[in-house]
Amino acid sequence: TVRPKNEIEQKQLCAFGEYVAEILPKYIQQVQVTCFNELELLIHPDGIIPVLTFLRDHTNAQFKSLADLTAVDVPSRQYRFEIVYNLLSLRFNSRIRVKTYTDELTPIDSAVSVHKAANWYEREVWDMYGVFFANHPDLRRILTDYGFEGHPFRKDFPLSGYVEV
Amino acid sequence: CFVQTTGLVGLAVAENPHERLRILYTKILAVLQNIPKDAAYRKYTEQIVNQRFNLVQTETDVQKLQDKLNGGQIEEVIVQAENELSLARKMLQWKPWEPLVEEPPTDQWRWPI
């Protein structure tokens, strides 16, 4: 069986994506809607705080809840890490995904000033991938052991690690 | 009759919400005047604010105003207006209506690789 296509929701998401892209042309590079009706905004890394504040505070887009903050490692690209923010709007019952890019050495602005929930998520991304967040209140390791060296979720980190246990 | 509580934690009942909303909406419109006229943010936000402002001015009963605004409790509408005001002030500094800062490298957003 195939999931039935929800054309109305897709049109609404497309319309909203165009609305946001019209308001913030300085930072939004691309907008796409997946076949499962998920809206994604692809952002330049300078625009994280403006875009997240806009999505949180604007009346038509009250995405007050940060559901997830992760990173994706694609080593073949020039900017290998793709930082993904998943936001939820309780007022309008809708979700949106915001994606940015960075490499190992360029810092990214911390989202803690916009969403307090980003604190531990950013610590996890730092620990697992090595992405540095500027203006984070307390960026240190959260899941790895105290003397652990390396960033485990990177694609070039071996499955059973470098140290024998 | 007097409403004892909003039902939401941390939000006190607002006495004289019409006055508060009037002040907030005038402040937002004043901040928006400084943005260039062709910016989409200014256009859409002025539309929203004027719509809500008219509703606030025409409807004096709080319950009916809540239903017409369709934005939750009137105290939540006040909080949302405060957020919109702080957002407008930050937009003045960020200027997001300018053209794109930098194009992504080719293949940055290609998926599957």
Side-chain angles (χ1 to χ4, degrees):
Chain A
T1 50
V2 180
R3 178 202 279 228
K5 274 179 97 69
N6 192 345
E7 288 288 349
I8 311 170
E9 197 181 349
Q10 198 155 20
K11 281 206 178 51
Q12 284 173 335
L13 288 174
C14 281
F16 183 70
E18 283 164 9
Y19 174 74
V20 182
E22 202 187 330
I23 296 192
L24 300 164
K26 190 173 177 184
Y27 303 114
I28 299 187
Q29 290 160 349
Q30 214 178 303
V31 177
Q32 54 200 33
V33 179
T34 42
C35 61
F36 312 108
N37 296 342
E38 294 167 355
L39 179 58
E40 297 185 355
L41 295 179
L42 311 181
I43 305 277
H44 185 273
D46 287 344
I48 294 190
I49 299 197
V51 171
L52 288 178
T53 341
F54 172 80
L55 290 173
R56 186 191 58 162
D57 288 341
H58 190 65
T59 330
N60 276 355
Q62 299 165 30
F63 289 95
K64 304 272 179 204
S65 175
L66 178 73
D68 199 11
L69 207 186
T70 22
V72 184
D73 182 19
V74 188
S76 56
R77 291 179 183 164
Q78 183 195 350
Y79 292 101
R80 72 190 281 197
F81 299 117
E82 197 182 283
I83 317 284
V84 181
Y85 300 80
N86 284 315
L87 299 163
L88 164 67
S89 166
L90 300 152
R91 170 74 56 210
F92 300 115
N93 189 18
S94 111
R95 293 178 183 265
I96 196 173
R97 197 174 299 141
V98 177
K99 290 196 188 186
T100 342
Y101 52 80
T102 183
D103 53 16
E104 290 108 321
L105 300 172
T106 322
I108 277 238
D109 286 320
S110 172
V112 170
S113 52
V114 182
H115 288 105
K116 286 275 176 296
N119 201 322
W120 278 19
Y121 285 123
E122 287 181 351
R123 275 178 66 186
E124 187 195 346
V125 170
W126 158 250
D127 196 12
M128 294 289 127
Y129 291 93
V131 178
F132 186 77
F133 289 92
N135 306 321
H136 185 101
D138 187 20
L139 196 65
R140 55 195 158 99
R141 61 172 78 252
I142 190 170
L143 291 172
T144 48
D145 196 9
Y146 291 107
F148 194 88
E149 283 159 12
H151 296 284
F153 282 2
R154 289 189 180 182
K155 291 282 193 275
D156 46 3
F157 191 91
L159 184 58
S160 24
Y162 293 117
V163 176
E164 196 185 310
V165 156
Chain B
C1 59
F2 176 64
V3 179
Q4 292 289 65
T5 166
T6 53
L8 303 160
V9 179
L11 261 190
V13 179
E15 70 277 10
N16 209 351
H18 292 82
E19 184 62 31
R20 182 93 183 104
L21 280 172
R22 192 182 59 80
I23 301 173
L24 281 168
Y25 289 145
T26 8
K27 277 191 186 174
I28 296 178
L29 288 171
V31 171
L32 286 179
Q33 295 300 325
N34 296 331
I35 303 183
K37 234 184 176 320
D38 57 350
Y41 177 67
R42 174 172 174 169
K43 207 170 47 172
Y44 291 120
T45 322
E46 273 183 346
Q47 198 182 10
I48 303 171
V49 169
N50 283 328
Q51 196 184 11
R52 293 196 165 193
F53 206 170
N54 290 335
L55 279 174
V56 165
Q57 281 170 327
T58 46
E59 183 65 63
T60 38
D61 179 37
V62 173
Q63 278 297 329
K64 290 212 196 96
L65 181 57
Q66 267 174 209
D67 296 329
K68 275 193 187 170
L69 280 174
N70 197 17
Q73 299 265 5
I74 202 89
E75 289 78 12
E76 289 181 306
V77 174
I78 295 178
V79 166
Q80 182 53 45
E82 286 162 4
N83 288 344
E84 190 75 57
L85 179 60
S86 95
L87 178 67
R89 287 183 178 143
K90 289 175 191 170
M91 289 299 218
L92 263 184
Q93 294 173 340
W94 291 324
K95 303 194 200 338
W97 49 84
E98 291 164 3
L100 191 58
V101 163
E102 194 188 340
E103 286 286 334
T106 38
D107 293 351
Q108 177 62 45
W109 293 124
R110 173 158 15 158
W111 190 260
I113 319 170

